Amino acid sequence: MMRFLLLFSRQGKLRLQKWYTPLTEREKKKIIRDMTTMVLARQPRSCNFIHWKDLKIIYKRYASLYFCLGVEREENELLALEVIHRYVELLDKYFGNVCELDIIFNFEKAYFILDEFLIGGEVQETSKQTINRCIENSDMLQEDDNNEWYEVELFG
Amino acid sequence: MPAVSKGDGMRGLAVFISDIRNCKSKEAEIKRINKELANIRSKFKGDKALDGYSKKKYVCKLLFIFLLGHDIDFGHMEAVNLLSSNKYTEKQIGYLFISVLVNSNSDLIRLINNAIKNDLGSRNPTFMNLALHCIANVGSREMAEAFVSDIPRILVAGDTMDSVKQSAALCLLRLNRTSPDLVPMGEWTARVVHLLNDQHLGVVTAATSLITTLAQKSPDDFKTSISLAVTRLSRIVTSACIDLQDYTYYFVAAPWLSVKLLRLLQCYPPPEDAALRSRLTECLETILNKAQEPPKSKKVQHSNAKNAVLFEAISLIIHHDSEPTLLVRACNQLGQFLQHRETNLRYLALESMCTLASSEFSHEAVKTHMETVINALKTERDVSVRQRAVDLLYAMCDRSNSKQIVAEMLSYLENADYSIREEIVLKVAILAEKYAVDYTWYVDTILNLIRIAGDYVSEEVWYRVIQIVINRDDVQGYAAKTVFEALQAPACHENLVKVGGYILGEFGNLIAGDSRSSPLVQFNLLHSKFHLCSVPTRALLLSAYIKFINLFPEVKGTIQEVLRSDSQLRNADVELQQRAVEYLRLSCIASTDILATVLEEMPPFPERESSILAKLKKKKGSMNVPDIDDSRKNMNGNGHVEHNNNIEEPSEAPAQSPASVVAALIPTNRPRPTSSSPIIPSSGIMPASHPFTDLLNLNSPPATGGGSLLVDVFSDFPGQAPAPPAAAATAEVSEDNFLRFVCKNNGVLFENQLLQIGLKSEYRQNLGRMYVFYGNKTSAQFLSFTLPQLIVHAKPAEPVIEGGAQMQQIFNMECVSDFSDAPVLQIQFRYGGALQNLAVKLPIMLNKFFQPTEMTSQDFFQRWKQLGAPQQEVQKIFKSQHPMDIDVTKAKIIGFGVALLDGVDPNPTNFVGAGVIHTKSTQVGCLLRLEPNTQAQMYRLTLRTSRDSVSQRLCDLLSEQF
C-alpha cells in the first residue's frame, strides 16, 4: 500500500500532504523534512527510487513541483511512478495545464481529486474519464449550490 | 490574483492565500495568520448565525492555515456542522477538514459518526462516497466499531452503485488494517471474491486490493480467488482484441489491475489444478514475450506500465520458484535491462535479480551477468544503483566467483560513498570468511579491509579475524607475518594496531626466528604505535606486552622498563594504570612456569555463526539481506565475542508457547557443545567499551567469583600454580552470586577453573522451573539432592560431561509454604583422579513466587491500612550501595516480582509496589514502599504483608539490591 503522498516545490515548500496511516504531527513533520532534503538533493537523471527505512520512496519532478510517494516494500515502483503521473494528468485535465499556483489556490480541489483516485493508500479507480466525470459532477452540484446562494443573497 | 479558482470560488479564501504568499518574512506570515485566526474566531463566536457559505469559507481557511504547519485548536465544531449540511460543497469541505484534522480520540467522534451514518444511509451515491472516504481517511477504531458491519453489506448489496462499491471495498480494507479484530469474516467473504468477476474494471481493481490483504491473513478462506484471478488476468493479458476502453493506459491493458492480480497470486503456491496452472504459465509467458515486442509508444508511461506488469510477473515467477524455464527467461530479461538506458530499469533489474540469485534454478543464470554488474559498480552515476549492484554481487557470490567478487568489492570500497561503506565492509568480511578455502586469503582480505576502510570496520569484523586465526593453526604464522608487515606502514589504522597487537602477542614467536622480525623489533614496532592509540587499544597493547614477556624472555627487561615508566604506572586512566601495575608485578614475581600458565596461548574459540551476519541483518533489515546460504537461515547470529556464554543467549530460551512449556515439563538432559575457554565472563559486567578485556581473557573483573586467573595468581601466591578448588572433603557453600539473582532469573551462578554453572529459570504462581547448565572440560559426575520446603523434581544428570561440553539439568519445583533458606546444590565429580565437592546455593527465593498486582491508589492505601499491625510491617533504613538511578531501581523492583504502581505515592520520587506470593497452601499479599533520599544516599524500605515471616524475608532480600 501507499503510506503517504507529498507535493513540494523546488524550494522545499510543501504543497500537499496525504497520509494513509495514522501518524502524529511530529512524525509527519519529520518525514516531510526527511523527504524534502533527500529528494531535493538527488542529482538529475538519477533513478526515481530510494530505499528509506522500511519504505520505498518514489519521486518525480513535474515542472517546479516534486511528487513524492512513500510505499511499502512489496509495491511495484514503476506503477507507483504511473500513479503519480495519472494524478498529474487528473489535475491537468481539471485545471487545464495545471501549475503550482492552481494547487496552492485550490488545494481543496487537489485533495478531492486525489480522494477519487486513491483511497486508504490503494488505487480505487484508474480510469481518467470516470474520475473526471465524478469531479465534474460535483462541480455541477457546486454551481447549483452557488446559484442557490446567490439567489438567497439577491432576495435576502 | 494570478490563479483563477474553479468551481465555487471562495473569494475570501483566495485573497487570504494571496496575502500569505505576499508575506515577505515568516514573522509577517504569522502576523497575518493570527489576524485571520482572530477574525474567524470572532465570526464563530459572534451572535449572528453564520450561513453555510461563510462557515465553509472559514473552515477552509483554517484548513489552509493548518496545512501551512500551524496549530488549529478550534473550528472542529463548525466543520462537524457542515457535515450535516445538505449542500454538497459544504459537506465536502466539512469532510475534508475532518479527514485532515480530526484525530481518533476527539470528543467529536460521536457527532461525526452520526453524520456519517446519515450519509451512508442516504442512498445518495455522492454522499455515501464522501462518508466512505472519510472513514477510510480517518480509519479510527471508533469508526471501525460503528461501521464495520454496515460496510460489507454496502459492498456486496446488489443495488449498490459501482463507485460506492469501490469506495466501500477500500474503506473495508483500511479498517481491516487498522482494526483487524473488528472486521468480521462472514458470508460476505465469498461474495467479495466474486467481485473479481465484476463487469466494471474499477470495481475489480478495488476489490483485488481488499482480497489480497484478506488472503494474506487467511489464505484458506480466499482460495477460490486463485482461479478467478487467473481467468481475469488471462483475459486481460492474452486476448489481443479486447477493448478495455479507458482502462488501457498508454497502450497497456489495465496495468493496475494486472499488477494487483499478480500480487494476489503471490499469496499462494502455484495452482494445483493442471489446467489452471498451464493457463497461468501461458499468461506469464505472454507477458515475457511482450517485453520483446517493439514498443507501441515512445512515451515513458508506456514502457513503465508495461514493465511494471513484467516485473510483477517476474516476482510471481520467483515466488513460485518452480518453473526453471520461466526463471531462466526472467533472468535473461533482467539481464537485458541491466544494460538499458533507463536508470530506473537498471535499478529494478539489479534488485529483482538479487532474489533470483537465491533460487537454485536461476542462480547459475544470474552468475553469467557478473561482468555487467561489476561494470555497473564502476560506472553507475547514481549511488542507489551502485548499492543495488553491491547487493547483487553479494547475492550471486559462491565458491566459484568469490575471489573475483571480493576483489571487486574491495577495489570499489576505495572510492565508495561513505553512506554504504560500512555495509560493504560487512559484506566483504562475510564473503571472505564463508568462501575461504585458503585462510591466508581471508587474512589478507580482512587486513585490506582495515587498510582501505579502517573507520568502517566494526568490532565484529576484527574480533572475527582474531577468532579465526586463533582457531586455525595453519594460518597463524602467516597472520603474524602479514600483520607485522602491515604495521610497517607509517600511518596505519588503529584497528590494524589492535589486530596486530593481539596476533603478535599470541603468535609473534612464529616469526621471531627471522632477525628482521626479532622479538625486540616486534615490540618496538608495536610500541611505536602506542602513543597514537586510544585507551582501549593501549590496554590491549599492554596485554600484548605481557604476553611478549612470556614468549620472549629476552625482551623482559625492555618491557618492564616501559611498564615501569611514569606514563604507565601513573597513568590517569585507571584501567591502563592497573594493567601496568599488575603486569609489571606479575612479570617480577611470577616464576616462568606460572607465567607460562597464565599467559598461555588462547584456547580455540567455540565455533559459531559469525556475528557479522547478524550485524548486517540488523543494519539492513533482514528482508534485504539475501541469505547466501540456506542452511544459515535458521541460525541466529548472537555469537558475540563478548558473550561467549550460551546461557545468556535468548535464542536458547525455551519458547513461551504452551506447546513447548508442556514439552519442557519432561526433564531432559541435552548435552551441547560449548566454550572451552577457561573464563566465561559473568553477564553484564563487561562494559562494551572494553572488549579487549574479554578478548585477551586476562582481565575479567574480580567480581567473577574466582574466575579471573590473575586474581587467583595473587591470592594463591607464593609460587604455586593456581590450585583447583578444595579437593574432596566437604566444600563450603558458595553463595557469591546468590544475591544477584534476587531481581533476575538468568545468569552465571558459579564459576571456577573447572566448572561453570549457569541458570535460567521461570516461575508461575507457586510453580517454578529451573534450567541448570553445567559447563566445562572434564569427565564429571553429579549428584543432586532433594531440598527442604520445596518439592523439587530433578532428573539425575548424565554421569559424564565431555570435555568442553555443556549439560543441562531441569528442576521443577513447587513452593509449599513460605521459606527463607535456599536449597543447596551438591555437586560431586571426579577430576583427574581427585574427587571434587561443590556446594552452591540455588537462588530460589520467596519473591520468585510473586504475581504482580495492579491496583489503584485508593485500593493500595486501603490495604496498606488493613495491614497496619506492628508485626506485619518490617522497615529497614540502609545506605545505597549503587548509584541511585531511577530506571535501574524501577527495573529492580519489577524484577523483584511486584507490580510497580505509578501515581500511588503522593511523593513521586518514592516507589510503590504490590504483589501476591503464591504458595501451595496459601497466598500472601504484599505491599512495599521504597523511599530514596538522594542527598543522604539512603533508602527506607517498608514492607507490609499478612505474615511477619514473609515481610522480614522479603525485606532482607530486597534491601540488599540497592
Side-chain angles (χ1 to χ4, degrees), chain B residues 372-616:
Chain B
T372 319
V373 182
I374 288 172
N375 200 34
L377 199 56
K378 291 174 179 160
T379 57
E380 283 291 348
R381 274 196 295 178
D382 183 349
V383 53
S384 40
V385 183
R386 292 198 296 271
Q387 168 133 34
R388 295 289 87 78
V390 172
D391 287 348
L392 178 54
L393 284 178
Y394 177 76
M396 69 163 70
C397 191
D398 62 18
R399 210 167 285 285
S400 71
N401 56 17
S402 54
K403 287 212 167 160
Q404 191 184 356
I405 286 180
V406 165
E408 292 293 350
M409 282 177 143
L410 271 176
S411 83
Y412 172 59
L413 190 55
E414 308 226 21
N415 310 308
D417 312 73
Y418 295 113
S419 55
I420 57 175
R421 282 196 179 185
E422 188 187 0
E423 198 187 310
I424 297 175
V425 167
L426 294 174
K427 286 185 164 158
V428 169
I430 290 167
L431 294 178
E433 180 188 341
K434 187 165 158 52
Y435 297 114
V437 185
D438 169 8
Y439 275 85
T440 58
W441 173 68
Y442 169 76
V443 169
D444 285 340
T445 305
I446 301 296
L447 291 183
N448 264 330
L449 271 185
I450 296 175
R451 185 178 56 77
I452 296 169
D455 285 343
Y456 299 88
V457 172
S458 55
E459 285 178 342
E460 285 84 352
V461 174
W462 73 263
Y463 284 2
R464 190 66 184 163
V465 69
I466 284 172
Q467 284 178 14
I468 285 175
V469 169
I470 295 225
N471 287 12
R472 306 196 62 96
D473 40 18
D474 53 331
V475 78
Q476 288 161 355
Y478 181 79
K481 179 168 160 287
T482 320
V483 292
F484 178 78
E485 280 162 8
L487 283 170
Q488 305 287 339
C492 51
H493 194 273
E494 190 164 336
N495 278 337
L496 182 68
V497 179
K498 289 180 186 164
V499 175
Y502 198 110
I503 288 184
L504 291 181
E506 293 293 325
F507 309 115
N509 54 328
L510 299 177
I511 56 168
D514 190 325
S515 62
R516 284 166 299 177
S517 53
S518 71
L520 193 59
V521 175
Q522 285 186 41
F523 172 73
N524 285 337
L525 180 60
L526 281 182
H527 199 53
S528 69
K529 316 284 179 194
F530 188 90
H531 303 282
L532 305 169
C533 292
S534 65
V535 167
T537 309
R538 289 185 190 195
L540 187 148
L541 285 177
L542 287 178
S543 297
Y545 297 169
I546 186 73
K547 287 231 158 188
F548 269 16
I549 290 186
N550 176 44
L551 290 182
F552 315 120
E554 62 266 41
V555 293
K556 184 172 172 178
T558 318
I559 292 176
Q560 281 177 332
E561 215 164 288
V562 168
L563 291 176
R564 203 175 285 128
S565 71
D566 276 356
S567 62
Q568 307 295 355
L569 277 189
R570 299 189 181 181
N571 196 296
D573 185 90
V574 178
E575 177 70 37
L576 293 180
Q577 191 188 81
Q578 187 179 356
R579 284 190 186 216
V581 170
E582 289 181 358
Y583 292 162
L584 180 63
R585 193 83 192 116
L586 178 67
S587 71
C588 292
I589 58 180
S591 71
T592 334
D593 284 353
I594 291 180
L595 272 185
T597 312
V598 174
L599 302 169
E600 200 185 356
E601 193 178 295
M602 284 289 293
F605 287 87
E607 286 300 329
R608 62 164 70 89
E609 193 198 5
S610 159
S611 53
I612 305 174
L613 195 59
K615 168 130 183 166
L616 181 63

Side-chain angles (χ1 to χ4, degrees), chain B residues 857 861 884-887 889-890 893 900-913 929-934 939:
Chain B
S857 175
F861 283 110
M884 295 174 88
D885 181 299
I886 293 177
D887 290 328
T889 308
K890 280 184 176 169
I893 292 176
L900 187 67
L901 304 175
D902 273 327
V904 166
D905 200 302
N907 180 349
T909 57
N910 292 346
F911 303 91
V912 168
R929 183 189 207 188
L930 180 71
E931 298 158 271
N933 180 340
T934 38
Y939 284 104

Side-chain angles (χ1 to χ4, degrees), chain B residues 539-736:
Chain B
L540 187 148
L541 285 177
L542 287 178
S543 297
Y545 297 169
I546 186 73
K547 287 231 158 188
F548 269 16
I549 290 186
N550 176 44
L551 290 182
F552 315 120
E554 62 266 41
V555 293
K556 184 172 172 178
T558 318
I559 292 176
Q560 281 177 332
E561 215 164 288
V562 168
L563 291 176
R564 203 175 285 128
S565 71
D566 276 356
S567 62
Q568 307 295 355
L569 277 189
R570 299 189 181 181
N571 196 296
D573 185 90
V574 178
E575 177 70 37
L576 293 180
Q577 191 188 81
Q578 187 179 356
R579 284 190 186 216
V581 170
E582 289 181 358
Y583 292 162
L584 180 63
R585 193 83 192 116
L586 178 67
S587 71
C588 292
I589 58 180
S591 71
T592 334
D593 284 353
I594 291 180
L595 272 185
T597 312
V598 174
L599 302 169
E600 200 185 356
E601 193 178 295
M602 284 289 293
F605 287 87
E607 286 300 329
R608 62 164 70 89
E609 193 198 5
S610 159
S611 53
I612 305 174
L613 195 59
K615 168 130 183 166
L616 181 63
K617 281 181 178 159
K618 202 169 129 200
K619 192 167 161 49
K620 289 211 90 181
S622 54
M623 59 185 300
N624 228 5
V625 182
D627 274 289
I628 47 176
D629 181 350
D630 286 352
S631 65
R632 286 197 160 168
K633 260 180 188 158
N634 294 325
M635 298 174 82
N636 95 338
N638 255 349
H640 250 246
V641 183
E642 285 149 294
H643 297 264
N644 50 6
N645 182 350
N646 285 336
I647 297 162
E648 293 292 323
E649 289 186 11
S651 60
E652 305 283 333
Q656 287 298 322
S657 72
S660 68
V661 169
V662 172
L665 279 172
I666 307 157
T668 46
N669 290 311
R670 280 182 295 161
R672 62 164 79 116
T674 184
S675 158
S676 62
S677 67
I679 299 162
I680 297 176
S682 160
S683 62
I685 289 179
M686 202 65 63
S689 60
H690 286 208
F692 49 84
T693 46
D694 187 26
L695 261 176
L696 283 179
N697 272 358
L698 275 172
N699 266 51
S700 288
T704 348
S708 164
L709 280 171
L710 214 51
V711 173
D712 279 356
V713 170
F714 289 120
S715 61
D716 287 342
F717 210 73
Q720 290 161 350
T730 42
E732 249 183 56
V733 177
S734 158
E735 47 184 290
D736 296 355

Side-chain angles (χ1 to χ4, degrees), chain A residues 18 42 47-48 51 76-77 82 85 89 94 104 106 122-125 127-129 138 142 146, chain B residues 5-6 8 21 88-89 137 166-167 177 246-247 249-250 260 301 304 308 312 344 347 351 382:
Chain A
K18 184 77 185 178
R42 298 278 291 173
C47 81
N48 296 83
H51 277 200
N76 191 307
E77 291 96 337
E82 295 319 299
H85 186 75
E89 286 183 345
Y94 181 77
I104 296 172
N106 301 285
E122 300 284 348
V123 172
Q124 181 203 193
E125 176 58 79
S127 157
K128 203 156 58 167
Q129 286 167 13
S138 60
Q142 283 188 80
N146 287 343
Chain B
S5 37
K6 285 196 67 165
D8 57 336
R21 283 178 56 73
Y88 179 74
T89 54
N137 278 326
Q166 286 165 268
S167 305
R177 279 190 181 129
D246 205 33
Y247 291 91
Y249 180 83
Y250 291 87
K260 284 188 181 193
Q301 283 75 29
N304 278 352
E312 205 61 47
N344 286 345
Y347 175 96
E351 189 176 54
D382 183 349

Side-chain angles (χ1 to χ4, degrees), chain A residues 4-6 8 35 39 57-59 66-70 84:
Chain A
F4 57 80
L5 172 67
L6 304 177
F8 46 83
M35 288 305 118
V39 169
I57 306 303
I58 287 94
Y59 71 93
Y66 281 91
F67 289 68
C68 173
L69 197 56
I84 292 176

Side-chain angles (χ1 to χ4, degrees), chain B residues 25-254:
Chain B
S25 65
K26 195 78 196 161
E27 289 71 34
E29 182 185 306
I30 291 174
K31 209 172 151 204
R32 178 68 185 87
I33 284 170
N34 285 336
K35 187 179 150 206
E36 193 63 37
L37 286 174
N39 172 41
I40 298 173
R41 204 177 261 125
S42 74
K43 294 279 194 234
F44 283 168
K45 276 197 183 145
D47 308 329
K48 232 175 75 189
L50 286 176
D51 60 33
Y53 171 81
S54 309
K55 222 182 267 176
K56 175 179 85 171
K57 186 178 72 189
Y58 293 131
V59 165
C60 215
K61 279 183 181 175
L62 286 178
L63 188 56
F64 180 80
I65 294 170
F66 178 77
L67 290 171
L68 277 180
H70 302 268
D71 285 339
I72 293 295
D73 54 3
F74 69 102
H76 299 71
M77 199 59 210
E78 284 73 16
V80 174
N81 285 341
L82 286 177
L83 295 185
S84 39
S85 162
N86 52 9
K87 287 192 186 157
Y88 179 74
T89 54
E90 288 166 17
K91 203 187 264 298
Q92 200 182 22
I93 294 288
Y95 272 123
L96 180 61
F97 184 92
I98 302 290
S99 301
V100 174
L101 254 110
V102 170
N103 49 20
S104 53
N105 52 13
S106 163
D107 306 336
L108 296 170
I109 213 83
R110 195 166 302 147
L111 289 171
I112 297 169
N113 279 357
N114 259 336
I116 292 177
K117 203 159 202 82
N118 288 335
D119 283 336
L120 278 185
S122 70
R123 309 192 69 77
N124 174 338
T126 325
F127 287 6
M128 287 172 87
N129 273 336
L130 279 181
L132 288 167
H133 291 181
C134 181
I135 301 173
N137 278 326
V138 177
S140 70
R141 211 171 160 79
E142 290 86 346
M143 283 196 179
E145 277 164 1
F147 302 110
V148 83
S149 51
D150 295 334
I151 298 171
R153 200 171 35 72
I154 294 172
L155 177 59
V156 297
D159 57 347
T160 305
M161 298 267 295
D162 289 333
S163 67
V164 178
K165 271 189 199 164
Q166 286 165 268
S167 305
L170 294 180
C171 187
L172 192 57
L173 170 55
R174 170 67 196 262
L175 295 185
N176 186 277
R177 279 190 181 129
T178 46
S179 324
D181 53 310
L182 292 179
V183 178
M185 293 299 191
E187 34 79 45
W188 60 271
T189 48
R191 297 174 68 182
V192 164
V193 173
H194 279 277
L195 289 176
L196 288 175
N197 274 335
D198 201 281
Q199 296 266 312
H200 190 282
L201 281 192
V203 173
V204 188
T205 308
T208 311
S209 294
L210 173 64
I211 295 166
T212 304
T213 304
L214 296 174
Q216 277 161 356
K217 285 184 181 144
S218 39
D220 288 342
D221 295 339
F222 292 88
K223 262 201 167 122
T224 45
S225 65
I226 303 175
S227 65
L228 295 177
V230 172
T231 315
R232 191 95 222 188
L233 182 68
S234 161
R235 267 193 282 162
I236 298 169
V237 171
T238 53
S239 49
C241 54
I242 192 169
D243 181 16
L244 298 173
Q245 291 151 355
D246 205 33
Y247 291 91
T248 302
Y249 180 83
Y250 291 87
F251 305 101
V252 181

